[in-house]
Amino acid sequence: MTRTSPPTNRLRRLGAALAAASLALAGCGSADSAAPAAAAGCAPAGGKVELSFWSWLPGIDQAVALWNQGHPDIHVTVEQTPQGNQGTYNKMFTALKANQAPDLGQVEFDSLPGFRVQQGLRDISACPGVADAKSKFVDWTWAQASVGGDGVFAIPQDTGPMGLFYRKDLFEKYQVPVPTTWDEYAQAAKTLHAADPKLTITHFPQKDVNWFAGLVWQAGGHWFTQDGQQWKVNLTDPASTKVADYWQNLLSQGLVSNYQGFSESWNKALDSGQIATWTGAVWGVGTIAKAAPSTAGKWAVAPLPQWTKGEQRSGNWGGSTTAVFAGTKHPAEAAQFALWLDSDPQALAILTAQGGIYPATVSAQESAKASPENTRFFGGQDVDAVFREAGKGVSQDFTWGPSMEQTYAHVRDGFGAALSGNGTLGKALSEAGAATITDLQRQSIPVAK
Amino acid sequence: MVVAASQTVAGAPPRPRVARRRRANGSTRAAWLLLAPFLLGFAVFYVAPIVVAVVKSFTAVTRTSTYGRPVEVFAGLANYTAALGDAGFTGSVGRVLLFGVVQIPVMLGLALVLALALDSAVVRLRRFFRLAFFLPYAVPGVIAAVMWGFFYAPNLSPVNQLLDPLGLHPDLLSGSVILYSIANIVTWTFTGYNMLILYSSLQAIPPQLYEAARLDGASGWAIAWRIKVPIIAPSLVLTGVFSIIGTFQLFTEPQVMAGVSSAVSSSYTPSMAAYAQISAQNYGLGAAMSVLVTLLIAVLSWLFFRITRARAAL
């Protein structure tokens, strides 16, 4: 997952949102005509093939240019779009309904089930090379791309193992040890805030529900499980409740601030030294360097605090795939391109350097290296080594639900209310779970009660 | 028809009549031909979306398994009952009603005062002020909202930096005031627009009326309230209806505020609620919400017309 600074994106998101809304209302979704995701048969077309591809990753055009150079018979045209949740998914869904979707698109892990439920994805498991590629990728990413376990619908591109970004200088100044457990983290929050009332240990990013889900992932929670033909929804399992109660406690004591993640306010707070840590993901290395330029050299990365001392569990926040859409006429070539893009060392070198991704293949993760300027920002620390270890501690069996957009919205709304003093994070989760079940029933998606 | 008509009209010479008809038909055909591009566009981009939205609002999808193909079926009023039973949606309607009750009178009152001030001879630099008041309307809504977002964010706002030493830390993004913060943006944007409508109808009043009033000893205030305001009342009603419609369509400002405030939910206004459903591929429910809002706007506008007409005896 790639995040860029908000103001321009906000505009783009709105523009795309308005366009998508008007298109949707205009009835472009009247015909249910997307081709079924046929598993059988995936033979190369032979001859010259044109593929279209939507992606928001910076530098993707350079990788595609490299592909086009080496593959005169399979020409790929890339279109740069805003980040998925900022409008591109709406655009993709609209295009799928109108049979105008590209052959391939960048889709994050959490949105794959939704695309599959809406018949948007093509099963490429029978395409040449796909089955053999499985071993190249980190196990859980492949599991995510096979949505539901009976096919392959996308090729994993990058992942987002989480770690703790912290202000080395502030922890030293106030003689607070870098927390290794969540208990120590809460203790550090108290000490730092007591030492400087303007300083909070972190912010609670109400809108970034996938951040919260990453922490639930670490704690061993499961919001969605697929039980045969039915979905089980449980946003209040013991792990989720534990995480919610933990943050509610910090919020109630006023120990975390209330900035929106990636907002100008948050950037300012980071840059002016009012936030001491951020539990972010590997792609956040670039985010934080860009958001807080005047704090260069003062940051370091440590493993995510643990619930039980000595464990090495991490969560995952973000991560993308190159998905093959249902309407493609050339699934074999599309799969071939997706495999190349997400596993070829040269392609990954471009995506890592330009797009700041943390690749999903085992070998590329071994050699991943932050850019020189980002390494300088972190005082020369080998940040990738920390995230490489974190990646090994990401549990494999976290499943995203079939309507994450709506689940996120419900949790966001509930968290917002909790932050305004109406209810708690735990209550928000339980209400969001109930609302999600209603959503699924409205879409006639089978849910276990 | 032509034959029947010429037969029934007694005494009229049939020949020229038919000839005239033919000529009329010819020019009618030409008129239709010229109108065709407009009518086509009107049908495709105006009527069809409305029809599709209404049809969609009566449909839902069914599927047989988790990843089964969705089949669109007739759902009767299910989407409407779901919309009316959705606390987020009904809450959003209540919210914009409150918003309208507070914001519209303030905005139109301001617009009227500004228009009267510009119309009176008192104000110098009339052109400058007219442009200055109107200028915010030229700023795209998104830009305006982003800009005000900066003013509101406690740790970015220049206003807060001035208030900080006094021990005041207002948070204009918090739950209790965010609705008024949004109302402020809307007022800032649209007051000048409404003022211009009122101002141009003031300009259309013949000056003799004022002369007559002055001869009768009316003061400037009396002229304003007894003559100007009643005469431009239809324009006030018009701006009122525009404002009611605009209020229910509120989307941009709260959507942008949602990026900086935790108090703006995903179904903060009816438009946002419908948009959220459509983003989630719930086209039927989203369409039903849109239709309900449209009906509500129609009813409220009609009521507003009725009340103001009775009051102002227009």
Side-chain angles (χ1 to χ4, degrees), chain A residues 151-239:
Chain A
V152 177
F153 299 89
I155 303 297
Q157 181 172 78
D158 70 317
T159 72
M162 294 174 77
L164 177 71
F165 296 93
Y166 68 98
R167 282 284 299 270
K168 210 170 32 186
D169 61 323
L170 294 178
F171 277 81
E172 275 165 17
K173 182 178 168 193
Y174 298 116
Q175 296 176 335
V176 179
V178 178
T180 59
T181 65
W182 286 111
D183 282 339
E184 289 172 16
Y185 188 78
Q187 191 52 52
K190 266 187 208 157
T191 317
L192 289 171
H193 191 63
D196 175 1
K198 280 202 155 181
L199 183 65
T200 52
I201 192 153
T202 193
H203 68 307
F204 185 85
Q206 168 228 349
K207 310 275 169 174
D208 301 319
V209 180
N210 37 9
W211 164 81
F212 189 85
L215 295 180
V216 169
W217 191 332
Q218 181 208 19
H222 296 278
W223 282 0
F224 296 90
T225 39
Q226 222 180 305
D227 177 16
Q229 275 306 324
Q230 287 192 315
W231 285 92
K232 270 191 189 153
V233 181
N234 188 1
L235 270 60
T236 49
D237 60 4

Side-chain angles (χ1 to χ4, degrees), chain B residues 62-84:
Chain B
T62 62
R63 18 167 95 75
T64 45
S65 61
T66 301
Y67 295 118
R69 159 170 295 279
V71 180
E72 213 160 77
V73 292
F74 179 70
L77 291 172
N79 287 320
Y80 288 92
T81 47
L84 293 172

